[in-house]
């Protein structure tokens, strides 16, 4: 490797929202251009709660892929208060790779989520038994808990207990945003891993709030203080295999973000790998990108590494101000800003 080009095994996105219908058709090609596989988040409206729906959604994604592009969607079940162990074992037989815990009310399309972790204890037992990973949106939702503390409180009140009660359960703590989460993952067993988004590596809450509200940086869990950003950068660039790529690219139309009550979600699919390259290079750790982007996630899910490669060159380019999206437009993360690495 010289300092001008970087060839990586093709990365995978271990946390991606692609929606359905016209929205799906407009965003799926962007991920297919960069990623070998993607964990497809199930928070559609209505959510993907059984294997039949997961199969139908997989088919819809495959037929929405542009000609000649390849992306393997890895399907995930959305857990509700009424998910049963039978639903889990059926999904497992239908190649659904994981199930996602959305605490009810925590984020976009989470109203059908779990209202009390005890309601899914038999489900977690079944998942532990068959080796199906639990993906976690780690925030409590009680109104009295400050939004900036919701992840840390979730660790103390929910996740620590789950890890104790199900020591063999594989868990991905999704889109972690705090030093507390980094420490928790470091200190937990090898069953516990985490995804980290580009926005949480490149931004902190000042980027969202100083000089005016920037709705296109607003996502959940919300950006935190700089000290948390630095802890995430350290974890991502550490070479520790517990931390891997998950963009949480979450498309919402421009008018839904630039609104009196703006949607949560950052759209990063078109330039995901360039964004991560920017963050790793700024940290002086571009050599650690391949493990994070292309190996550690597959290892955690016990899947083979991709065999094809992609190449980045160190060359400035400007992120487009907008892309077409369904019947409107969408503003990508860091729109109009310069990135230093370009995908060839
Ligand atoms: C996601 C979405 O829009 O679906 N939004 C977000 O802010 N991250 C949901 C999620 O992952 O929380
Ligand atoms: Zn997400």
């Amino acid at each position: 490797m010289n300092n001008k080009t970087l060839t990586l095994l093709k990365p995978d996105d271990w946390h991606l929202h692609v929606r359905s219908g016209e929205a799906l058709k407009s965003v799926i090609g962007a991920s297919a251009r960069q990623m070998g596989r993607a964990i497809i988040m199930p928070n559609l409206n209505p959510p993907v709660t059984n294997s039949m729906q997961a199969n139908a959604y997989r088919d819809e994604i495959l037929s929405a892929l542009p000609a000649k592009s390849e992306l393997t969607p890895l399907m995930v079940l959305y857990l509700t208060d009424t998910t049963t162990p039978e639903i889990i074992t059926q999904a497992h037989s239908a190649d659904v790779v994981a199930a996602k815990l959305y605490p009810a009310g925590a984020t976009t399309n989470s109203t059908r989520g779990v209202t009390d972790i005890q309601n899914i204890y038999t489900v977690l037992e079944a998942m532990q038994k068959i080796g199906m990973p639990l993906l976690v949106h780690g925030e409590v939702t009680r109104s009295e808990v400050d939004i900036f503390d919701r992840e840390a409180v979730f660790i103390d009140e929910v996740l620590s207990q789950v890890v104790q009660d199900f020591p063999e359960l594989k868990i991905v703590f999704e889109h972690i945003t705090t030093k507390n989460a980094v420490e928790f993952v470091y200190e937990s067993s090898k069953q516990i891993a985490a995804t980290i988004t580009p926005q949480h590596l490149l931004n902190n809450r000042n980027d969202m709030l100083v000089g005016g509200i920037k709705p296109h940086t607003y996502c959940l869990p919300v950006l935190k203080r700089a000290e948390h950003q630095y802890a995430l950068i350290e974890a991502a660039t550490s070479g520790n295999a517990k931390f891997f790529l998950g963009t949480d690219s979450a498309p919402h139309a421009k008018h839904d973000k630039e609104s009196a009550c703006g949607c949560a979600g950052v759209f990063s699919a078109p330039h995901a790998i360039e964004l991560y390259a920017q963050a790793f290079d700024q940290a002086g750790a571009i050599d650690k990108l391949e493990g994070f982007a292309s190996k550690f996630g597959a290892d955690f899910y016990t899947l083979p590494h991709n065999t094809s490669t992609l190449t980045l060159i160190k060359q400035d380019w400007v992120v487009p101000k907008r892309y077409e999206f369904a019947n409107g437009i969408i503003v990508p993360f860091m729109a109009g800003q310069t990135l230093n690495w370009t995908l060839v």
Side-chain angles (χ1 to χ4, degrees):
M1 184 183 75
N2 63 41
N3 61 359
K4 291 289 176 211
T5 76
L6 178 66
T7 296
L8 305 173
L9 285 177
K10 199 163 195 190
D12 301 300
D13 190 344
W14 301 100
H15 185 132
L16 178 65
H17 301 265
V18 293
R19 316 303 186 203
S20 61
E22 290 306 309
L24 166 65
K25 286 183 201 154
S26 43
V27 299
I28 192 69
S31 291
R33 214 178 120 243
Q34 304 207 337
M35 303 294 171
R37 292 161 289 203
I39 281 277
I40 305 295
M41 286 295 155
N43 61 331
L44 301 182
N45 189 15
V48 179
T49 55
N50 61 48
S51 55
M52 235 171 62
Q53 289 171 316
N55 283 333
Y57 190 26
R58 179 194 282 116
D59 290 345
E60 190 194 354
I61 293 167
L62 291 173
S63 49
L65 278 171
K68 286 192 193 147
S69 64
E70 280 174 35
L71 175 80
T72 303
L74 302 173
M75 307 314 291
V76 175
L77 224 58
Y78 179 115
L79 297 173
T80 74
D81 284 340
T82 56
T83 306
T84 60
E86 293 71 40
I87 290 175
I88 293 294
T89 40
Q90 259 172 29
H92 186 61
S93 321
D95 291 332
V96 168
V97 300
K100 176 87 186 266
L101 165 63
Y102 289 100
T107 187
T108 306
N109 292 343
S110 62
T111 46
R112 299 249 341 256
V114 175
T115 59
D116 182 339
I117 191 75
Q118 291 296 333
N119 294 343
I120 58 164
Y121 256 45
T122 56
V123 164
L124 298 183
E125 189 77 58
M127 290 173 65
Q128 173 171 256
K129 208 160 161 192
I130 60 181
M132 180 188 272
L134 173 71
L135 316 185
V136 176
H137 183 109
E139 290 190 287
V140 294
T141 57
R142 295 198 316 279
S143 59
E144 72 274 18
V145 182
D146 188 277
I147 190 165
F148 291 102
D149 297 334
R150 288 178 174 205
E151 185 173 278
V153 174
F154 183 88
I155 296 169
D156 293 344
E157 292 186 358
V158 184
L159 197 52
S160 309
Q161 193 63 48
V162 171
V163 165
Q164 208 173 310
D165 293 341
F166 302 96
E168 298 304 318
L169 179 64
K170 286 181 120 175
I171 298 177
V172 184
F173 195 171
E174 298 291 341
H175 43 48
I176 57 170
T177 64
T178 58
K179 194 164 69 177
N180 314 57
V182 167
E183 280 164 13
F184 179 81
V185 172
Y186 269 129
E187 286 161 13
S188 298
S189 77
K190 67 173 189 343
Q191 304 296 87
I192 315 302
T195 53
I196 305 181
T197 77
Q199 64 268 26
H200 292 103
L201 293 173
L202 290 164
N203 279 358
N204 60 61
R205 66 194 199 181
N206 274 8
D207 298 294
M208 179 175 63
L209 294 171
V210 173
I213 291 183
K214 320 291 189 312
H216 299 289
T217 64
Y218 173 63
C219 65
L220 289 168
V222 72
L223 295 167
K224 307 295 193 300
R225 293 177 174 276
E227 65 181 288
H228 296 291
Q229 178 192 9
Y230 301 149
L232 296 168
I233 294 169
E234 190 284 323
T237 61
S238 66
N240 187 312
K242 284 168 160 273
F243 301 96
F244 48 82
L245 185 158
T247 61
D248 193 24
S249 178
H252 293 274
K254 180 172 185 279
H255 62 87
D256 290 329
K257 300 272 306 164
E258 298 175 10
S259 151
C261 184
C263 291
V266 164
F267 180 53
S268 59
H271 49 331
I273 196 65
E274 290 100 326
L275 291 166
Y276 283 110
Q278 183 88 7
F280 276 64
D281 201 12
Q282 277 171 12
I286 196 75
D287 59 312
K288 294 293 199 301
L289 182 61
E290 187 177 42
F292 176 84
S294 316
K295 293 180 174 172
F296 302 155
D299 295 343
F300 184 83
Y301 281 89
T302 60
L303 292 168
H305 297 164
N306 294 318
T307 48
S308 60
T309 58
L310 58 72
T311 298
L312 295 159
I313 50 173
K314 196 156 187 183
Q315 184 179 295
D316 289 357
W317 65 289
V318 178
V319 178
K321 291 221 164 91
R322 54 175 63 186
Y323 290 96
E324 282 174 25
F325 177 65
N327 298 319
I329 57 173
I330 188 166
V331 178
F333 182 51
M334 293 186 72
Q337 296 184 53
T338 299
L339 295 178
N340 307 134
W341 289 85
T342 308
L343 181 63
V344 178

